[in-house]
Amino acid sequence: MGKKKKKKSHVPFRVNLLFLAVFVLFSVLILRLGVVQIVNGETYKKEVDRTEDIIVSNPVPRGRMLDRNHQVIVDNIPKSAITYTNRNAKQKEMLQVAERLSVLIDKKTDKVTERDKKDHWILKNPEAAREKITDKEWELFKEKKLDDKQIYEMQLKRITEEDLKQLSEQDLEVLGIFREFTSGYAMTPQIVKNEGVTREEYAAVSENLQYLPGVNTTTDWDRTYAFDSTLQTVLGKVTDTNEGLPQERLDYFLARDYSRNERVGKSYLEMQYEDVLHGQKSKEKLITKKGDILGSELVSEGQRGKDLVLTIDMDLQKAVEKVLEEEIWAAKRTRGTYLMDRAFVVLMNPHTGEVLTMAGKMIGEDDNGKTVLQDYALGTIASSYNVGSSVKGATVLTGYKTGAITPGTSFLDAPMKIAGTPQVKKSWFNFQAIMNETRALRISSNVYMFKTAIEIADARYAYDQPLGFKNPNAFEDMRGSFGQFGLGVRTGIDLPNEAIGYEGPLRLPGFLLDLAIGQYDTYTPMQMAQYISTIANGGYRIQPRLVKEIREPATEQEELGPIWKDIQPTVLNTIDVSDRELNTVKEGLRQVMQHPEGTAYRRFADAPYSPAGKTGTAEAFYDGPLKKKGDQLIDVMNLSLVAYAPHNKPEIAMSVIVPWAYQGRSGHTANYEIGRRVLDTYFELKKKGMSGEEQEQSAEEAETEES
């Protein structure tokens, strides 16, 4: 038998192949290291040593608000502040700084929550916190059946009251500071303390800044009001550092380089003019390396916000508010005034739309539960009421515009009965007389206005018969015309959230007649002032405004900076009536106050400034704070008055509204009393502000006009 052939081994070949693979891999690695160290070494070294420039913005005080005579209304009061800027520090580093700072300042702990305490306890007691989790749970964590968040939530739940008692008062103070540190955003100064910072605290922190990385001493500000609560509801409010940017406008502000914790106007004038009041922040460049601050340099100086010069005359505003307060309390002493709790006055230049006074007072309670009159100037644009006959000037002019009547058109004023309407529709007195529009305005004829509305609707009246409107757009025609005066539409005043009033929903013929005498839709005091201004100035609806000028920030050598923007009057529309038609209505309004038959003659006959206007009493339903859900409708009377003076050369226009003035068919006349005293006050203050020569010239002009 032949010998068997010996089987060849494959082991040496596999080993050699392995060695070859290892050799190739090491060769690649060495080559790569050579590229890194030799070819790109310098580049990577520069990257390691690279410094970064980070721009930090520091907020500046807001602009001031002044009245038309340059009296300061809203200003800034400086106060010492301690801030912290998170420069990408770790929690442990921040805690150390908080502990050092707690030795130098007293920090209130009233904002510290139980959750804050538990977080702080975990941070200070990591081992004890770890023991809150069982071994089995840690095994589940390693097996990824529990995540970090679940472990953390379990630790929080298992921290006991006894655990939290381990935190001393000093610990809580550190926690209060640490809480402020972590509530801010990276590279954004965060207020740590700005209330009650003593000189000793400020000095101690300033002297130890090198041991307190991120901490700084600076000056913060608060809004201060020279006239206390006067007009404060209209001036608006500013957010504090805890509120920061309003969530609903967050994207808007962030897009304009605001910081999240920055203070901004959150209501009314402060919000409306945020862009100019805010100012230009100072910018500082921080030079960092590996997260460490190497130094800083100023990029640009900050500039506080621009100043607003308002149209308001604060001396007149205060005087008008005093009149309101006295007349509200006087009216409350009469019968049937349980529901009366407010009154409003607006004074406006009819030619420019400048609002000189925007006054509202409402009965409320102070912090001690005492009944007081509170500022409710905001109600002049935010609340609306039935105003009654004050709108009759607009009704007559609407009759002219639609061709329903012409100057001299006469109607019989007698009670009217319309089929389907339960009550007889009549004037406040059974005149039983034929009258034209001038007398209808003078004596406040309802029937004349009813018949004008019927003509607008292209209908015919017959006793106890239905009104068949041939014009299906009668409501739209009348409301559209009223809107041309500013009634039932936004006036355009430079304030947010202006109300437009309530529009009656039903379209029955009887309601069109009610609309004609101001007893269907509701209007704001500001709308009423714009309406009477439109008549007074010759038919131009002027946009009312509260800001007269925007000024550059004043320097230390100036009381007021140069004008940045002078805001000019804006005509929104004109009234399409002839001079004859407009003058006919203006004569009727003059007779209201200067003719013995006029409804306001007794109170205004001796007024030296020759006023014109229209009174109003509206049957309405109470809709105030005492109304409860499910209550029956309570009948009340609203009082109103619109006026301008002098009648032949108007310089001031006024609206007065006293809602829910009384219950019953008769009561006080607070609208007359307020209106007369307010106009007297305006002309008295004007006279005081004149020089002797100006007073003589004014007296001569008055004599010439009278003759």
Side-chain angles (χ1 to χ4, degrees), residues 393-421:
T395 301
V396 173
L397 287 167
T398 298
Y400 291 152
K401 287 173 63 179
T402 58
I405 59 173
T406 58
T409 296
S410 297
F411 293 118
L412 171 66
D413 185 311
M416 301 171 65
K417 181 70 173 68
I418 300 170
T421 302

mmCIF file of all heavy atoms in Angstrom, residues 393-421:
data_model
loop_
_atom_site.group_PDB
_atom_site.id
_atom_site.type_symbol
_atom_site.label_atom_id
_atom_site.label_comp_id
_atom_site.label_asym_id
_atom_site.label_seq_id
_atom_site.Cartn_x
_atom_site.Cartn_y
_atom_site.Cartn_z
ATOM 1 N N GLY A 393 -77.873 115.996 16.372
ATOM 2 C CA GLY A 393 -77.197 116.775 15.331
ATOM 3 C C GLY A 393 -76.783 115.885 14.178
ATOM 4 O O GLY A 393 -76.918 116.254 12.998
ATOM 5 N N ALA A 394 -76.300 114.687 14.484
ATOM 6 C CA ALA A 394 -75.916 113.726 13.443
ATOM 7 C C ALA A 394 -77.143 113.218 12.699
ATOM 8 O O ALA A 394 -77.092 112.971 11.483
ATOM 9 C CB ALA A 394 -75.158 112.554 14.065
ATOM 10 N N THR A 395 -78.274 113.077 13.401
ATOM 11 C CA THR A 395 -79.505 112.601 12.754
ATOM 12 C C THR A 395 -79.990 113.602 11.706
ATOM 13 O O THR A 395 -80.343 113.234 10.579
ATOM 14 C CB THR A 395 -80.600 112.359 13.808
ATOM 15 O OG1 THR A 395 -80.140 111.397 14.764
ATOM 16 C CG2 THR A 395 -81.873 111.854 13.155
ATOM 17 N N VAL A 396 -80.007 114.878 12.064
ATOM 18 C CA VAL A 396 -80.449 115.904 11.116
ATOM 19 C C VAL A 396 -79.512 115.958 9.908
ATOM 20 O O VAL A 396 -79.954 116.010 8.755
ATOM 21 C CB VAL A 396 -80.524 117.277 11.809
ATOM 22 C CG1 VAL A 396 -80.809 118.378 10.782
ATOM 23 C CG2 VAL A 396 -81.604 117.279 12.881
ATOM 24 N N LEU A 397 -78.205 115.929 10.156
ATOM 25 C CA LEU A 397 -77.239 115.979 9.056
ATOM 26 C C LEU A 397 -77.329 114.731 8.179
ATOM 27 O O LEU A 397 -77.122 114.796 6.967
ATOM 28 C CB LEU A 397 -75.824 116.141 9.617
ATOM 29 C CG LEU A 397 -75.530 117.543 10.185
ATOM 30 C CD1 LEU A 397 -74.251 117.542 10.998
ATOM 31 C CD2 LEU A 397 -75.441 118.564 9.056
ATOM 32 N N THR A 398 -77.664 113.593 8.784
ATOM 33 C CA THR A 398 -77.885 112.375 7.997
ATOM 34 C C THR A 398 -79.115 112.530 7.115
ATOM 35 O O THR A 398 -79.131 112.082 5.955
ATOM 36 C CB THR A 398 -78.041 111.158 8.929
ATOM 37 O OG1 THR A 398 -76.837 110.986 9.679
ATOM 38 C CG2 THR A 398 -78.329 109.886 8.145
ATOM 39 N N GLY A 399 -80.145 113.196 7.654
ATOM 40 C CA GLY A 399 -81.338 113.484 6.849
ATOM 41 C C GLY A 399 -80.995 114.336 5.641
ATOM 42 O O GLY A 399 -81.479 114.090 4.528
ATOM 43 N N TYR A 400 -80.125 115.329 5.843
ATOM 44 C CA TYR A 400 -79.686 116.158 4.714
ATOM 45 C C TYR A 400 -78.919 115.319 3.691
ATOM 46 O O TYR A 400 -79.151 115.410 2.487
ATOM 47 C CB TYR A 400 -78.758 117.275 5.201
ATOM 48 C CG TYR A 400 -79.407 118.348 6.040
ATOM 49 C CD1 TYR A 400 -78.651 119.042 6.985
ATOM 50 C CD2 TYR A 400 -80.740 118.699 5.887
ATOM 51 C CE1 TYR A 400 -79.200 120.045 7.756
ATOM 52 C CE2 TYR A 400 -81.314 119.700 6.666
ATOM 53 C CZ TYR A 400 -80.532 120.374 7.599
ATOM 54 O OH TYR A 400 -81.083 121.365 8.356
ATOM 55 N N LYS A 401 -77.961 114.532 4.183
ATOM 56 C CA LYS A 401 -77.074 113.770 3.295
ATOM 57 C C LYS A 401 -77.850 112.793 2.422
ATOM 58 O O LYS A 401 -77.492 112.553 1.264
ATOM 59 C CB LYS A 401 -76.029 113.004 4.119
ATOM 60 C CG LYS A 401 -74.940 113.872 4.716
ATOM 61 C CD LYS A 401 -74.048 113.084 5.658
ATOM 62 C CE LYS A 401 -73.321 111.978 4.938
ATOM 63 N NZ LYS A 401 -72.428 111.216 5.832
ATOM 64 N N THR A 402 -78.890 112.171 2.997
ATOM 65 C CA THR A 402 -79.666 111.165 2.261
ATOM 66 C C THR A 402 -80.786 111.776 1.429
ATOM 67 O O THR A 402 -81.471 111.050 0.691
ATOM 68 C CB THR A 402 -80.268 110.150 3.248
ATOM 69 O OG1 THR A 402 -81.095 110.851 4.192
ATOM 70 C CG2 THR A 402 -79.177 109.390 3.993
ATOM 71 N N GLY A 403 -80.985 113.087 1.572
ATOM 72 C CA GLY A 403 -82.068 113.732 0.832
ATOM 73 C C GLY A 403 -83.428 113.551 1.482
ATOM 74 O O GLY A 403 -84.456 113.910 0.896
ATOM 75 N N ALA A 404 -83.451 113.005 2.698
ATOM 76 C CA ALA A 404 -84.730 112.792 3.392
ATOM 77 C C ALA A 404 -85.367 114.116 3.779
ATOM 78 O O ALA A 404 -86.598 114.258 3.757
ATOM 79 C CB ALA A 404 -84.511 111.927 4.629
ATOM 80 N N ILE A 405 -84.543 115.082 4.144
ATOM 81 C CA ILE A 405 -85.027 116.415 4.495
ATOM 82 C C ILE A 405 -84.093 117.442 3.873
ATOM 83 O O ILE A 405 -82.978 117.111 3.447
ATOM 84 C CB ILE A 405 -85.102 116.637 6.022
ATOM 85 C CG1 ILE A 405 -83.709 116.458 6.664
ATOM 86 C CG2 ILE A 405 -86.110 115.704 6.673
ATOM 87 C CD1 ILE A 405 -83.660 116.832 8.144
ATOM 88 N N THR A 406 -84.530 118.682 3.831
ATOM 89 C CA THR A 406 -83.714 119.804 3.385
ATOM 90 C C THR A 406 -83.847 120.911 4.415
ATOM 91 O O THR A 406 -84.786 120.890 5.240
ATOM 92 C CB THR A 406 -84.175 120.314 2.006
ATOM 93 O OG1 THR A 406 -85.555 120.690 2.105
ATOM 94 C CG2 THR A 406 -83.986 119.254 0.938
ATOM 95 N N PRO A 407 -82.944 121.878 4.425
ATOM 96 C CA PRO A 407 -83.071 122.964 5.394
ATOM 97 C C PRO A 407 -84.448 123.617 5.330
ATOM 98 O O PRO A 407 -84.927 123.999 4.265
ATOM 99 C CB PRO A 407 -81.963 123.941 4.971
ATOM 100 C CG PRO A 407 -80.924 123.066 4.343
ATOM 101 C CD PRO A 407 -81.705 122.017 3.616
ATOM 102 N N GLY A 408 -85.086 123.686 6.501
ATOM 103 C CA GLY A 408 -86.422 124.262 6.584
ATOM 104 C C GLY A 408 -87.533 123.239 6.592
ATOM 105 O O GLY A 408 -88.703 123.591 6.803
ATOM 106 N N THR A 409 -87.232 121.966 6.358
ATOM 107 C CA THR A 409 -88.268 120.920 6.404
ATOM 108 C C THR A 409 -88.934 120.917 7.775
ATOM 109 O O THR A 409 -88.259 120.951 8.811
ATOM 110 C CB THR A 409 -87.663 119.540 6.123
ATOM 111 O OG1 THR A 409 -87.149 119.518 4.793
ATOM 112 C CG2 THR A 409 -88.716 118.448 6.273
ATOM 113 N N SER A 410 -90.268 120.877 7.789
ATOM 114 C CA SER A 410 -91.012 120.912 9.050
ATOM 115 C C SER A 410 -91.857 119.649 9.205
ATOM 116 O O SER A 410 -92.321 119.061 8.216
ATOM 117 C CB SER A 410 -91.922 122.152 9.095
ATOM 118 O OG SER A 410 -91.150 123.332 9.052
ATOM 119 N N PHE A 411 -92.043 119.265 10.463
ATOM 120 C CA PHE A 411 -92.898 118.123 10.808
ATOM 121 C C PHE A 411 -93.754 118.504 12.009
ATOM 122 O O PHE A 411 -93.351 119.337 12.842
ATOM 123 C CB PHE A 411 -92.070 116.892 11.188
ATOM 124 C CG PHE A 411 -91.270 116.300 10.058
ATOM 125 C CD1 PHE A 411 -89.880 116.257 10.131
ATOM 126 C CD2 PHE A 411 -91.895 115.784 8.940
ATOM 127 C CE1 PHE A 411 -89.132 115.710 9.104
ATOM 128 C CE2 PHE A 411 -91.157 115.231 7.898
ATOM 129 C CZ PHE A 411 -89.767 115.195 7.981
ATOM 130 N N LEU A 412 -94.902 117.868 12.122
ATOM 131 C CA LEU A 412 -95.752 118.041 13.299
ATOM 132 C C LEU A 412 -95.218 117.162 14.419
ATOM 133 O O LEU A 412 -95.030 115.961 14.245
ATOM 134 C CB LEU A 412 -97.197 117.649 12.972
ATOM 135 C CG LEU A 412 -98.153 117.582 14.176
ATOM 136 C CD1 LEU A 412 -98.354 118.972 14.783
ATOM 137 C CD2 LEU A 412 -99.490 116.959 13.764
ATOM 138 N N ASP A 413 -94.944 117.787 15.556
ATOM 139 C CA ASP A 413 -94.516 117.024 16.731
ATOM 140 C C ASP A 413 -95.764 116.650 17.529
ATOM 141 O O ASP A 413 -96.347 117.492 18.234
ATOM 142 C CB ASP A 413 -93.557 117.840 17.595
ATOM 143 C CG ASP A 413 -92.998 117.023 18.751
ATOM 144 O OD1 ASP A 413 -93.787 116.375 19.462
ATOM 145 O OD2 ASP A 413 -91.772 117.017 18.943
ATOM 146 N N ALA A 414 -96.202 115.405 17.359
ATOM 147 C CA ALA A 414 -97.336 114.858 18.103
ATOM 148 C C ALA A 414 -97.053 113.381 18.339
ATOM 149 O O ALA A 414 -96.300 112.755 17.586
ATOM 150 C CB ALA A 414 -98.628 115.041 17.310
ATOM 151 N N PRO A 415 -97.621 112.806 19.399
ATOM 152 C CA PRO A 415 -97.367 111.391 19.694
ATOM 153 C C PRO A 415 -97.680 110.500 18.497
ATOM 154 O O PRO A 415 -98.640 110.747 17.751
ATOM 155 C CB PRO A 415 -98.300 111.104 20.872
ATOM 156 C CG PRO A 415 -98.460 112.430 21.529
ATOM 157 C CD PRO A 415 -98.471 113.433 20.421
ATOM 158 N N MET A 416 -96.860 109.452 18.338
ATOM 159 C CA MET A 416 -96.990 108.539 17.200
ATOM 160 C C MET A 416 -97.279 107.133 17.710
ATOM 161 O O MET A 416 -96.675 106.675 18.668
ATOM 162 C CB MET A 416 -95.693 108.531 16.377
ATOM 163 C CG MET A 416 -95.301 109.890 15.835
ATOM 164 S SD MET A 416 -93.640 109.863 15.087
ATOM 165 C CE MET A 416 -93.907 108.747 13.710
ATOM 166 N N LYS A 417 -98.211 106.458 17.035
ATOM 167 C CA LYS A 417 -98.536 105.070 17.369
ATOM 168 C C LYS A 417 -98.260 104.229 16.132
ATOM 169 O O LYS A 417 -98.815 104.458 15.065
ATOM 170 C CB LYS A 417 -100.007 104.937 17.768
ATOM 171 C CG LYS A 417 -100.399 103.517 18.137
ATOM 172 C CD LYS A 417 -99.766 103.097 19.462
ATOM 173 C CE LYS A 417 -100.286 101.734 19.927
ATOM 174 N NZ LYS A 417 -99.843 100.625 19.069
ATOM 175 N N ILE A 418 -97.360 103.246 16.308
ATOM 176 C CA ILE A 418 -96.972 102.380 15.200
ATOM 177 C C ILE A 418 -97.450 100.965 15.513
ATOM 178 O O ILE A 418 -97.246 100.459 16.621
ATOM 179 C CB ILE A 418 -95.448 102.399 14.996
ATOM 180 C CG1 ILE A 418 -94.998 103.832 14.679
ATOM 181 C CG2 ILE A 418 -95.024 101.450 13.899
ATOM 182 C CD1 ILE A 418 -93.512 104.031 14.692
ATOM 183 N N ALA A 419 -98.082 100.338 14.565
ATOM 184 C CA ALA A 419 -98.596 98.981 14.768
ATOM 185 C C ALA A 419 -97.440 98.046 15.137
ATOM 186 O O ALA A 419 -96.371 98.072 14.517
ATOM 187 C CB ALA A 419 -99.287 98.490 13.504
ATOM 188 N N GLY A 420 -97.680 97.232 16.157
ATOM 189 C CA GLY A 420 -96.660 96.278 16.600
ATOM 190 C C GLY A 420 -95.711 96.845 17.636
ATOM 191 O O GLY A 420 -94.886 96.116 18.193
ATOM 192 N N THR A 421 -95.810 98.142 17.884
ATOM 193 C CA THR A 421 -94.967 98.777 18.907
ATOM 194 C C THR A 421 -95.833 99.045 20.128
ATOM 195 O O THR A 421 -96.835 99.771 20.026
ATOM 196 C CB THR A 421 -94.372 100.099 18.390
ATOM 197 O OG1 THR A 421 -93.626 99.829 17.203
ATOM 198 C CG2 THR A 421 -93.463 100.721 19.416
#
